[in-house]
């Protein structure tokens, strides 16, 4: 029985043409060799498993080849690999520099491949500087590292740097398809795609995962086998979750999340995957961004189908909610409840059950347009005409003496209810209860807005607004409403679009102004001819620090305005 060789070693590229996903670097190195333009110090940097050491070995073999050697010649006597993680002392580097002086016995060049070079100590780097800057003609250094930022600048300046990129999911999948064909394995396209995604840009990791899954499933590599073995959530889980969210089926959605947890998956894994799913649906809605969707052809068709059912606003809000849950997950003490709350919020985005608009309308005009109804205009008689008509009817009694004037169709106003004085006792106009009821009624009037398109919304300047505001305060002073006038003078209003913003130190002042806002807004809107204006009142307790509270504070404030008060106090020996 032959020993098993892992795919990462068995299918390690032997030429630059076999290297996956690094065409720019391999073409540069090939041209440098052909044109005899190769630097003597090279630095290969990039993430793990992308081909740094492989390219270094291929380069070392190619520069010593002259065409006369056999195919199995690997020039082992000319290639020296040093692991800087375990040979990082000054003595190891000095031993290396002593060997550099001896020319090669076979071939033209001696190639030194130093892997994980960032692990060298500071002293070892300094001992290596001179040799790296002026190496012998027969010597080439190839340094490889995953962390370029840890290498000192003096080393970087002496090397020609090649940045290896992550291998794309598409390239990794195509290479896995080639290996599956070589091993006579029937692999589904989506299964290979999941392996390539799980590898996260590292070809070596992709090959290791491939070997593991093949050991589990044998010659038939299915998507289900890959998801079970790698403990990753299948696409179908998120497609089902999104369908339940769009249909507002909260109980079924929570049960599906519970089933996902029972399979051993983490709630954090689930919510981050759901955010990525929403992102993929969003990029599927535009033909220009479909190429950002890194999935198989069958799964791409499902994404395109579901993206048509998913509104753009829903996907934007969904990504935001899922992302917030992702950020709060680690700090939450009840992580399951956090995810369940997020799912309920997601399922409520498109819910129209009993939601009401923030503005209240009396049959808006837009309603008739959506129903295809043309409203019939009604001419409302003037008050004088109504009075004359009623008087005429009183003078000419009807045939049925029991018929009242209210029953006649000539009236434009609806019949008024008969008030029973015994049943409905009215309060005095001067009582506190009646004043409060009147203010509450005025506030309710502010909420009822008829959707009329011809209300003026003219532009105005900030100077005109402040002039109007001060005119209303002067109007209050003239009427004797000193308290309300002083409340309005406490803070200078700020304009933010159509919102008039005010800040008060406590809730009491806010409530008082809210009760008196109807005549204020009526005055301002009419003067400025803009009926979109609204009042925005906030409570800021920091402002309260500006106002005096103690008797001494009040006295000092009065003394600033009139210093003669102090003379008065001392003359009569008054206390504060």
């Amino acid at each position: 029985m032959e020993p098993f060789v892992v795919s990462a070693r068995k299918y390690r590229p032997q030429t630059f043409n076999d290297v996956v996903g690094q065409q720019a670097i391999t073409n540069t190195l090939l041209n440098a060799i052909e044109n005899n333009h190769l630097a003597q110090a090279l630095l290969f940097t990039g993430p793990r498993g992308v081909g740094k050491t492989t390219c270094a070995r291929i380069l070392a073999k190619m520069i010593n080849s002259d065409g006369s050697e056999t195919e199995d010649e690997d020039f082992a006597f000319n290639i020296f690999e040093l692991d800087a993680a375990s040979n990082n002392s000054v003595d190891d580097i000095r031993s290396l520099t002593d060997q550099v002086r001896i020319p090669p016995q076979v071939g033209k060049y001696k190639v030194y491949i130093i892997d994980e070079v960032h692990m060298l100590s500071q002293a070892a780097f300094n001992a290596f500087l001179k040799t790296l800057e002026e190496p012998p003609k027969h010597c080439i250094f190839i340094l490889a590292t995953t962390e370029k930022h840890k290498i000192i600048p003096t080393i970087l300046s002496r090397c020609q740097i090649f940045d290896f990129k992550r291998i794309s999911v598409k390239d990794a999948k195509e290479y896995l398809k080639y290996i599956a064909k070589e091993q006579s394995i029937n692999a589904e396209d989506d299964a290979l795609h999941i392996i390539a995604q799980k590898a996260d840009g590292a070809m070596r990791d992709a090959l290791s995962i491939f070997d593991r899954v093949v050991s589990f499933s044998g010659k038939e590599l299915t998507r289900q086998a890959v998801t079970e073995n790698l403990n990753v959530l299948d696409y179908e889980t998120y497609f089902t979750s999104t369908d339940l969210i769009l249909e507002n089926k909260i109980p079924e959605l929570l049960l599906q999340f519970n089933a996902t947890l029972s399979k051993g998956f983490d709630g954090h894994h689930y919510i981050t995957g759901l955010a990525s799913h929403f992102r993929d649906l969003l990029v599927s809605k535009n033909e220009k961004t479909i190429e950002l969707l890194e999935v198989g052809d069958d799964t791409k068709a499902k994404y395109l189908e579901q993206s048509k059912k998913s509104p753009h606003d829903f996907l934007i809000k969904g990504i935001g909610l899922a992302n917030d849950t992702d950020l709060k997950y680690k700090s939450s003490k009840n992580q399951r409840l956090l995810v369940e709350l997020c799912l309920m919020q997601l399922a409520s985005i498109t819910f129209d059950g009993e939601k009401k608009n923030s503005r209240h309308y009396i049959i808006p005009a837009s309603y008739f347009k959506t129903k295809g109804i043309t409203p019939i205009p009604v001419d409302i008689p003037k008050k004088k005409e109504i009075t004359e008509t009623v008087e005429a009817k009183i003078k000419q009694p009807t045939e049925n003496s029991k018929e009242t004037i209210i029953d006649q169709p000539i009236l434009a106003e609806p019949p008024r209810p008969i008030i029973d004085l015994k049943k409905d006792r009215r309060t005095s106009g001067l009582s506190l209860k009646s004043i409060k009821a009147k203010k509450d009624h005025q506030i309710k009037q502010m909420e009822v807005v008829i959707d009329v398109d011809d209300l003026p919304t003219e532009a105005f300047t900030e100077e005109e607004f402040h002039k109007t505001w001060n005119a209303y305060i002067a109007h209050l002073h003239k009427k004797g409403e000193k308290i309300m006038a002083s409340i309005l003078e406490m803070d200078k209003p700020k304009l933010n679009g159509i919102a008039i913003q005010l800040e008060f130190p406590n809730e009491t002042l806010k409530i008082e102004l809210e009760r008196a806002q109807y005549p204020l807004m009526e005055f301002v809107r009419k003067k400025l001819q803009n009926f979109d204006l609204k009042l925005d009142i906030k409570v800021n307790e920091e402002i309260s620090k500006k106002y005096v509270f103690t008797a001494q504070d009040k006295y000092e404030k009065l003394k600033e305005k009139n210093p003669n008060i102090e003379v008065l106090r001392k003359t009569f020996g008054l206390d504060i």
Side-chain angles (χ1 to χ4, degrees):
M1 180 178 177
E2 294 183 1
F4 173 71
V5 180
V6 295
S7 298
R9 288 180 56 195
K10 184 177 181 180
Y11 296 100
R12 183 187 286 272
Q14 300 300 317
T15 64
F16 280 135
N17 293 329
D18 300 333
V19 178
V20 179
Q22 308 294 347
Q23 282 78 13
I25 292 175
T26 55
N27 290 340
T28 303
L29 293 175
L30 277 172
N31 292 335
I33 295 171
E34 290 177 2
N35 300 325
N36 195 22
H37 202 264
L38 188 67
Q40 287 189 271
L42 307 174
L43 176 64
F44 292 172
T45 177
R48 69 186 190 283
V50 293
K52 298 185 297 296
T53 306
T54 298
C55 286
R57 291 177 180 176
I58 295 172
L59 178 64
K61 183 178 178 180
M62 285 190 68
I63 59 178
N64 280 309
S65 301
D66 56 3
S68 60
E69 64 280 345
T70 58
E71 290 185 2
D72 58 348
E73 177 63 53
D74 57 358
F75 297 96
F77 294 104
N78 292 45
I79 302 173
F80 302 89
E81 290 195 35
L82 179 69
D83 181 18
S86 55
N87 301 281
N88 56 4
S89 65
V90 178
D91 292 337
D92 294 321
I93 296 299
R94 285 176 180 170
S95 175
L96 176 66
T97 54
D98 290 340
Q99 296 176 20
V100 167
R101 301 172 186 174
I102 305 170
Q105 297 179 0
V106 180
K108 298 179 181 179
Y109 297 98
K110 291 178 71 174
V111 182
Y112 291 86
I113 302 173
I114 305 177
D115 208 358
E116 304 299 333
V117 70
H118 65 274
M119 299 292 286
L120 290 177
S121 64
Q122 183 74 23
F125 271 130
N126 294 331
F128 193 38
L129 282 175
K130 189 63 178 176
T131 305
L132 192 64
E133 184 176 11
E134 297 178 359
K137 293 181 180 180
H138 59 266
C139 184
I140 290 180
F141 289 100
I142 303 176
L143 314 180
T145 179
T146 55
E147 300 181 49
K148 185 175 70 172
H149 60 279
K150 290 186 178 181
I151 301 175
I152 60 175
T154 48
I155 292 288
L156 294 176
S157 64
R158 288 165 167 79
C159 298
Q160 194 173 85
I161 302 173
F162 292 87
D163 288 301
F164 284 69
K165 63 181 180 180
R166 290 182 180 275
I167 297 173
S168 67
V169 175
K170 183 179 179 182
D171 290 339
K173 185 184 75 172
E174 292 299 323
Y175 193 65
L176 289 174
K177 187 183 292 185
Y178 160 74
I179 293 175
K181 187 177 180 181
E182 288 288 317
Q183 296 183 4
S184 301
I185 295 173
N186 186 19
E188 291 183 3
D189 191 66
D190 284 343
L192 297 178
H193 197 278
I194 293 172
I195 295 174
Q197 277 187 322
K198 186 74 173 178
D200 193 25
M203 197 68 235
R204 183 170 59 235
D205 291 356
L207 293 171
S208 299
I209 295 170
F210 178 80
D211 287 342
R212 192 173 97 196
V213 176
V214 168
S215 300
F216 172 76
S217 61
K219 295 292 183 180
E220 293 292 329
L221 196 62
T222 62
R223 184 182 67 182
Q224 184 178 359
V226 172
T227 53
E228 288 180 7
N229 188 264
L230 299 183
N231 196 33
V232 295
L233 280 171
D234 195 6
Y235 294 121
E236 291 299 331
T237 302
Y238 295 119
F239 281 118
T240 306
S241 297
T242 305
D243 285 335
L244 294 174
I245 290 170
L246 291 172
E247 295 169 7
N248 312 118
K249 295 182 178 179
I250 293 179
E252 292 85 346
L253 182 62
L254 296 179
L255 289 173
Q256 192 220 21
F257 175 59
N258 182 66
T260 303
L261 293 179
S262 64
K263 293 178 183 177
F265 294 104
D266 186 26
H268 196 191
H269 185 191
Y270 175 82
I271 201 66
T272 53
L274 189 61
S276 300
H277 183 75
F278 289 155
R279 176 261 181 195
D280 291 340
L281 288 174
L282 190 62
V283 301
S284 300
K285 295 184 76 69
N286 194 319
E287 294 180 357
K288 296 179 180 178
T289 55
I290 288 179
E291 62 183 21
L292 299 176
L293 195 63
E294 295 183 341
V295 294
D297 294 336
D298 296 338
T299 309
K300 183 180 288 187
K302 293 181 180 179
Y303 270 108
L304 294 174
E305 181 183 353
Q306 193 174 66
S307 66
K308 295 176 182 177
K309 300 187 295 182
S310 306
H312 186 274
D313 293 340
F314 161 75
L315 294 175
I316 294 294
K317 292 178 182 177
I319 291 172
L321 284 172
N323 189 51
D324 288 342
T325 305
D326 177 22
L327 296 174
K328 297 175 184 175
Y329 190 86
K330 289 186 178 179
S331 60
S332 175
K333 292 184 179 180
N334 193 341
Q335 295 174 336
R336 173 169 181 162
L337 178 62
L338 179 68
V339 178
E340 288 177 338
L341 180 62
C342 175
L343 293 175
M344 288 187 281
Q345 289 174 333
L346 288 170
S348 303
I349 292 176
T350 57
F351 181 65
D352 288 332
E354 298 179 1
K355 289 196 300 184
K356 305 219 180 265
N357 202 322
S358 58
R359 294 184 66 187
H360 302 276
Y361 296 98
I362 303 177
I363 311 181
S366 59
Y367 172 80
F368 296 105
K369 295 177 182 178
T370 56
K371 297 295 182 182
I373 302 172
T374 304
I376 301 174
V378 178
D379 295 331
I380 300 176
K382 296 181 180 178
K383 185 176 181 181
K384 183 178 179 181
E385 295 174 358
I386 295 172
T387 306
E388 292 175 353
T389 308
V390 173
E391 288 176 354
K393 288 294 179 181
I394 291 173
K395 291 177 182 179
Q396 300 176 2
T398 58
E399 294 178 1
N400 187 0
S401 59
K402 294 181 181 180
E403 186 178 5
T404 61
I405 301 296
I406 297 174
D407 295 331
Q408 300 298 324
I410 59 170
L411 293 179
E413 296 182 351
R416 297 182 180 180
I418 299 173
I419 300 173
D420 188 357
L421 296 177
K422 293 181 181 180
K423 185 178 180 181
D424 299 331
R425 294 181 180 178
R426 298 185 178 182
T427 57
S428 170
L430 298 176
S431 67
L432 293 175
K433 185 176 180 182
S434 65
I435 294 172
K436 182 178 183 299
K438 182 180 178 182
K439 290 183 177 180
D440 291 340
H441 176 66
Q442 290 175 343
I443 291 172
K444 289 181 179 179
Q445 282 183 316
M446 294 291 290
E447 296 176 354
V448 181
V449 181
I450 301 177
D451 189 14
V452 181
D453 296 333
D454 57 355
L455 285 177
T457 56
E458 296 181 5
F460 56 89
T461 63
E462 192 168 351
E463 184 180 354
E464 291 174 343
F465 165 72
H466 286 295
K467 186 177 180 181
T468 305
W469 188 268
N470 294 330
Y472 184 74
I473 294 174
H475 171 69
L476 292 177
H477 281 295
K478 189 175 180 180
K479 286 177 62 179
E481 298 182 11
K482 304 290 184 181
I483 296 176
M484 185 51 59
S486 63
I487 290 175
L488 293 177
E489 289 174 337
M490 289 181 68
D491 183 37
K492 186 177 181 180
K494 300 179 181 64
L495 272 177
N496 184 8
I498 60 170
I500 303 171
Q501 295 181 339
L502 289 167
E503 285 190 356
F504 292 107
N506 55 60
E507 193 71 25
T508 304
L509 294 173
K510 178 185 176 184
I511 294 171
E512 285 297 321
L513 183 54
E514 285 177 345
R515 288 176 177 173
Q517 67 176 319
Y518 176 69
L520 166 65
M521 295 307 296
E522 185 181 21
F523 181 88
V524 174
R525 286 171 176 172
K526 286 183 178 180
K527 285 286 185 182
L528 298 175
Q529 286 297 296
N530 190 317
F531 284 79
D532 283 344
L533 286 171
K534 61 181 181 179
L535 202 60
D536 184 13
I537 309 169
K538 296 181 180 178
V539 176
N540 186 357
E541 295 181 358
E542 294 295 326
I543 301 177
S544 61
K545 297 180 181 179
K546 299 179 182 179
Y547 302 97
V548 296
F549 295 97
T550 65
Q552 182 65 38
D553 291 336
K554 293 178 181 178
Y555 175 72
E556 294 295 333
K557 203 74 177 177
L558 290 172
K559 194 167 67 172
E560 289 179 5
K561 295 183 177 181
N562 190 351
N564 294 328
I565 292 178
E566 180 66 16
V567 178
L568 178 67
R569 187 186 69 81
K570 289 181 179 179
T571 303
F572 292 98
L574 300 174
D575 293 330
I576 299 172

